[in-house]
Amino acid sequence: MMRTRPLKVALLGCGVVGSEVARIMTTHADDLAARIGAPVELAGVAVRRPGKVREGIDPALVTTDATALVKRGDIDVVVEVIGGIEPARTLITTAFAHGASVVSANKALLAQDGAALHAAAGEHGKDLYYEAAVAGAIPLIRPLRESLAGDKVNRVLGIVNGTTNFILDKMDNSGAGYQEALDEATALGYAEADPTADVEGFDAAAKAAILAGIAFHTRVRLDDVYREGMTEVTAADFRSAKEMGCTIKLLAICERAADGQSVTARVHPAMIPLTHPLASVRGAYNAVFVESDAAGQLMFYGPGAGGSPTASAVLGDLVAVCRNRLGGATGPGESAYADLTVSPMGEVVTRYHISLDVADKPGVLAQVATVFAEHGVSIDTVRQQGKDGEASLVVVTHRASDASLSGTVEALRKLDTVRGVASIMRVEGE
């Protein structure tokens, strides 16, 4: 039997995502009620600009006093889609204290203060759900947190930012330079006026922190994630990648060490083989590749941003939280029992593609090879091209630590025959 008294929902933020959440709550009201077992009612919408016309939303529900809204005491679920650290953090903890569960899409806040928010939710016996914080509409957090709860996840490798994937895909397919591809992404609405958060990897790093924490049952903060943007990737890098049968993606990589005692989380551009499933992810789409002991290799793919896709994830969480509310239960909270060490980037082991500008004369290759050997870095392949006294030397290594590679590059720069290091890129996905 369906309960007739509605569950009341407060919406914090009514921009691209928030307006879609409100629209779906209205247009799919009967379906949502049937799936939950009770109607859901939009009880208030907190915004910064109350005078703006919001189609489909009763102006009487609109307020600029978000604090008063979450303190009402009759709110069952608060949906937070305003983003940023404050006032979102205070509003969420205030909502818990006044009896509401929370659904959030706030990746930056969860990456920075997820442990404290989970603790606040647990203290008051409330839910904190955030599927929409990572990869938009793609079901990812719930599979990691629930479907794979009985498995051991060893690696999460993914494209989690649509803007950067669009830019790199454009550079790969058209030969365009970085700025040209960025300009097109901006014109099409894929890139913000200030694209720093995307192209410098801040957005992906926040998502990596959340994914690593869930996958490895360990607290991983944003500060634990190594971050490297993709603004220095050039058309020449793509040509080199194609010669290796690879393409270039900005990847979020979360790994468990072979001994099982530590984990790493990092975001950076990398070459991946064209045979890897992530190589075929085009445009502004996202995809995440998960490797676990029992399930093996899994891939999750779909639109990673945008109003409707993100709202889909928010509504999925809303249904789950409302069901818990009706049943007098709460869903999974933070799982950090493993408490594994988060290792620094220097300990990460991977392959490298290094392009050097060198003098075109006998003995150069031997000098370079000696430097690699002295630092314990094994060379896989070498390719040299020369003309008019100058040459380019491309070295692809076997797996080596970031620290040993850094020492190698520093020593190479000191050779008289090395004019400069044109590029260094990691090779992943093998």
Side-chain angles (χ1 to χ4, degrees), residues 288-359:
V288 177
F289 203 71
V290 178
E291 300 175 11
S292 68
D293 277 0
Q297 297 179 331
L298 307 169
M299 183 165 159
F300 301 84
Y301 170 84
S308 293
T310 305
S312 171
V314 169
L315 268 295
D317 278 351
L318 179 63
V319 169
V321 170
C322 286
R323 286 172 175 170
N324 291 344
R325 192 85 172 183
L326 288 179
T330 56
E334 182 188 33
S335 176
Y337 75 91
D339 196 25
L340 300 175
T341 300
V342 183
S343 298
M345 186 63 185
E347 297 180 16
V348 170
V349 175
T350 188
R351 298 178 67 206
Y352 290 87
H353 176 283
I354 305 103
S355 180
L356 304 171
D357 295 325
V358 300

Side-chain angles (χ1 to χ4, degrees), residues 155-175:
R155 195 174 196 227
V156 179
L157 173 75
I159 299 164
V160 295
N161 183 277
T163 300
T164 54
N165 198 60
F166 178 89
I167 293 170
L168 292 173
D169 188 41
K170 181 69 177 179
M171 293 174 69
D172 186 20
N173 288 312
S174 71

Side-chain angles (χ1 to χ4, degrees), residues 131 138-151 153 214 290 298 300:
E131 184 69 63
I138 304 172
L140 185 58
I141 289 177
R142 191 171 286 113
L144 283 174
R145 192 161 67 169
E146 299 178 28
S147 303
L148 296 175
D151 205 345
V153 176
I214 297 171
V290 178
L298 307 169
F300 301 84

Side-chain angles (χ1 to χ4, degrees), residues 118-340:
H118 275 293
E123 178 186 352
H124 297 285
K126 298 296 178 282
D127 275 325
L128 173 62
Y129 275 50
Y130 43 91
E131 184 69 63
V134 180
I138 304 172
L140 185 58
I141 289 177
R142 191 171 286 113
L144 283 174
R145 192 161 67 169
E146 299 178 28
S147 303
L148 296 175
D151 205 345
K152 179 184 177 184
V153 176
N154 296 308
R155 195 174 196 227
V156 179
L157 173 75
I159 299 164
V160 295
N161 183 277
T163 300
T164 54
N165 198 60
F166 178 89
I167 293 170
L168 292 173
D169 188 41
K170 181 69 177 179
M171 293 174 69
D172 186 20
N173 288 312
S174 71
Y178 165 75
Q179 190 59 52
E180 181 184 350
L182 173 60
D183 289 344
E184 181 170 344
T186 303
L188 292 172
Y190 292 127
E192 301 287 346
D194 179 1
T196 302
D198 295 321
V199 300
E200 293 295 351
F202 291 102
D203 175 84
K207 296 170 181 176
I210 295 169
L211 291 174
I214 297 171
F216 306 132
H217 304 278
T218 292
R219 287 179 179 171
V220 180
R221 289 172 50 88
L222 182 58
D223 291 345
D224 295 321
V225 181
Y226 172 83
R227 177 195 55 78
E228 183 182 320
M230 42 76 73
T231 58
E232 300 301 317
V233 176
T234 65
D237 291 326
F238 274 101
R239 288 193 293 271
S240 293
K242 288 180 179 180
E243 290 173 357
M244 289 179 59
C246 292
T247 188
I248 299 172
K249 299 291 186 181
L250 184 75
L251 299 177
I253 306 169
C254 312
E255 292 181 306
R256 186 191 301 268
D259 63 8
Q261 300 304 304
S262 64
V263 299
T264 57
R266 50 198 166 101
V267 169
H268 54 71
M271 294 182 180
I272 58 171
L274 293 175
T275 53
H276 194 282
L278 291 178
S280 61
V281 178
R282 302 298 184 190
Y285 275 72
N286 284 191
V288 177
F289 203 71
V290 178
E291 300 175 11
S292 68
D293 277 0
Q297 297 179 331
L298 307 169
M299 183 165 159
F300 301 84
Y301 170 84
S308 293
T310 305
S312 171
V314 169
L315 268 295
D317 278 351
L318 179 63
V319 169
V321 170
C322 286
R323 286 172 175 170
N324 291 344
R325 192 85 172 183
L326 288 179
T330 56
E334 182 188 33
S335 176
Y337 75 91
D339 196 25
L340 300 175

Side-chain angles (χ1 to χ4, degrees), residues 24 56 58 80 98 118 229 231 271 317 422 430:
I24 295 171
D58 184 351
E80 183 272 310
H98 286 78
H118 275 293
T231 58
M271 294 182 180
D317 278 351
E430 296 184 306

